[in-house]
Amino acid sequence: MTDREAVVTALAAIADPSGGGDIVASGRVSGVVVKADGSAGLVLSVEALARDVAERLNAAVELAVRRVPGVTAARIILTAERDTAPAAADVRTGPVPGIRTIVAIASGKGGVGKSTVAANLAVALARRGLSVGLLDADIYGPSVPTLLGLTGRGKLEGKRLQPAAAHGITALSMGMMTDPTKAIIWRGPMAASAMMQMVEQTDWGVLDTLVIDLPPGTGDIQLTMAQKLKPTGAVIVSTPQDLALIDARRAIAMFGEVKVPVIGLVENMSSFVCPACGVRTDIFGHGGAAAAAEAAGIAFLGGIPLDIAIRTASDAGQPPAAGEGALAEAFAALAEQVAAGLGL
Ligand code: ADP
C-alpha cells in the first residue's frame, strides 16, 4: 500500500457526522497527497456542519492522518460553500491534534493537594458535559491511579499508549507504567521527554480539555510543557500558609515568563470545620491565597475546605467531585471558572 492509500484507508475509518457512511465515501475528502518528506495534505469539506462538529471532525482527521506510519505532518484545508461552517483560520485544534485545550495544574511545592485538585477538577469538568483527559505528569510521585482507583497497567496498542477510563474521564499516569514499589531515577530532560510522549503518543481521542497534573516546582518538566504544549491556561494550587504562597508566586512568575495565561489560584486546605463540634478553624491561616492572587494580578478561584472526607475518599479511589454534597459543589464551582478561563 502506498502512503497515499494508507492515508485514504485511515480516513475511511471516520464516520461522516451527517450520516451516509464514512467521510471518504460521502465525498468530504479530496486532493489527498503525501510528499516524499512525509507531509500529507488534503481538502476536507465541512459543508453543512455546525461549527463544533466541524472542529471535531477536523481534529479527528488530523489525528488519523498523523498516525499513519511514514506521515510526519498533516495539512488540512477546510472548505465550505455555505457560511455557516467555520473558516479554516477559526478552527482551533491546539498544538496536539484532537485536543482543543490544555490546562496545567501546578504548585510551588509538594503536598498542597495539587493532584487531588487536578483529579477532582477533571471529573467536575466532565460532569459539565465536556470530554476530559487527565495526564498525571507528576512522575516523581504519581498519585492519579490511587485518586481514581485505577489498578490496571497502561496498555500499548502498536506504539500508542491507551489511557484508562474512570469516573467519566480518561487518564494516564506514569504510575500505570512503572512498578510502584521501585524508585525511578529520571534526569530532567528524560522526564520531560517522557511527559511529551505521554501527551503526544497516547490515544486521547477528541478532548475538550486535557488536564495536566505537573510535578511541584518550576523545573525542566514545567518549562518543556509550557513551551512545547503551549497550554491554554494554568491553575496554581496553594495552601493558605505563607511558605506555600511564596512558592506559588514563583510558579505564577514562571508561567508569566513563558507566556502561559494563569487562569487563577485555588486555595486548598482552606478552613477546617470540625466534624464533631462544627467550629471553624483556619489551621493554615485564612485569606492568604486571595491576597496573594490579588497581589500577583491573577484571579482567585476560591477555596477547597480541609476535610477528612477528601483524604479518605481520595485514598479509596472515589474522587469527591464524582459524588454529591458540599465537596462536589466546591469542585463544580472551581470547574465552572476553569471552563470559562479555557473558553469552553
Ligand atoms: P500534591 O499533589 O500537592 O503533592 P496530594 O494531592 O497528593 O498533594 O495531597 C496530599 C495529601 O493531602 C493526600 O493524602 C490528600 O488526600 C490530602 N488532601 C489533599 N487535599 C485535601 C483537603 N482539601 N482536605 C483533606 N485532605 C486533603
Side-chain angles (χ1 to χ4, degrees):
M1 206 191 296
T2 65
D3 286 350
R4 185 185 173 280
E5 284 163 346
V7 168
V8 173
T9 306
L11 294 170
I14 301 175
D16 190 314
S18 51
D22 68 77
I23 55 171
V24 176
S26 66
R28 284 201 186 273
V29 175
S30 57
V32 178
V33 285
V34 181
K35 294 193 193 146
D37 65 359
S39 62
L42 62 96
V43 178
L44 176 67
S45 162
V46 289
E47 180 77 42
L49 296 182
R51 188 192 191 89
D52 59 331
V53 178
E55 278 184 24
R56 279 162 193 266
L57 179 62
N58 182 35
V61 165
E62 191 165 346
L63 191 66
V65 173
R66 285 198 188 211
R67 286 181 55 187
V68 172
V71 170
T72 52
R75 210 169 94 82
I76 297 161
I77 298 166
L78 297 182
T79 61
E81 294 291 316
R82 284 197 260 145
D83 58 7
T84 46
D90 281 350
V91 176
R92 279 184 309 149
T93 50
V96 187
I99 301 180
R100 279 178 71 194
T101 63
I102 294 178
V103 56
I105 314 298
S107 69
K109 66 200 273 308
V112 297
K114 171 184 50 60
S115 300
T116 307
V117 170
N120 282 281
L121 171 64
V123 170
L125 284 166
R127 285 185 88 172
R128 296 178 62 79
L130 298 170
S131 147
V132 182
L134 173 64
L135 172 69
D136 180 3
D138 193 346
I139 58 171
Y140 301 99
S143 44
V144 162
T146 308
L147 286 162
L148 298 181
L150 303 173
T151 47
R153 304 303 291 271
K155 286 196 200 84
L156 266 180
E157 264 174 35
K159 284 191 176 158
R160 315 251 335 152
L161 289 160
Q162 305 300 312
H167 307 288
I169 63 172
T170 50
L172 185 70
S173 166
M174 194 55 89
M176 291 157 62
M177 279 167 294
T178 49
D179 182 341
T181 60
K182 292 212 178 93
I184 333 167
I185 301 165
W186 295 98
R187 295 187 200 288
M190 230 166 91
S193 78
M195 186 206 61
M196 291 300 295
Q197 272 183 13
M198 292 207 300
V199 175
E200 293 177 333
Q201 294 176 26
T202 297
D203 280 335
W204 292 107
V206 177
L207 295 182
D208 290 312
T209 193
L210 177 67
V211 178
I212 303 187
D213 178 15
L214 287 176
T218 51
D220 260 359
I221 294 196
Q222 292 82 348
L223 275 176
T224 305
M225 190 277 319
Q227 283 161 348
K228 294 213 172 142
L229 294 176
K230 299 188 175 40
T232 324
V235 170
I236 317 283
V237 182
S238 180
T239 50
Q241 76 265 50
D242 289 347
L243 276 178
L245 284 165
I246 290 169
D247 289 321
R249 280 186 209 113
R250 216 167 280 146
I252 295 167
M254 182 200 78
F255 284 113
E257 268 164 39
V258 291
K259 307 218 166 11
V260 172
V262 175
I263 296 173
L265 178 67
V266 187
E267 182 174 86
N268 188 34
M269 307 193 194
S270 255
S271 33
F272 169 73
V273 179
C274 170
C277 64
V279 170
R280 188 175 127 156
T281 316
D282 293 324
I283 295 178
F284 298 122
H286 185 71
E294 199 185 338
I298 62 166
F300 177 58
L301 302 177
I304 304 293
L306 175 64
D307 188 329
I308 182 113
I310 294 189
R311 218 268 307 136
T312 48
S314 300
D315 284 353
Q318 288 294 334
E324 302 300 328
L327 292 177
E329 280 163 25
F331 286 114
L334 174 63
E336 187 178 349
Q337 297 187 72
V338 173
L342 294 171
L344 294 173

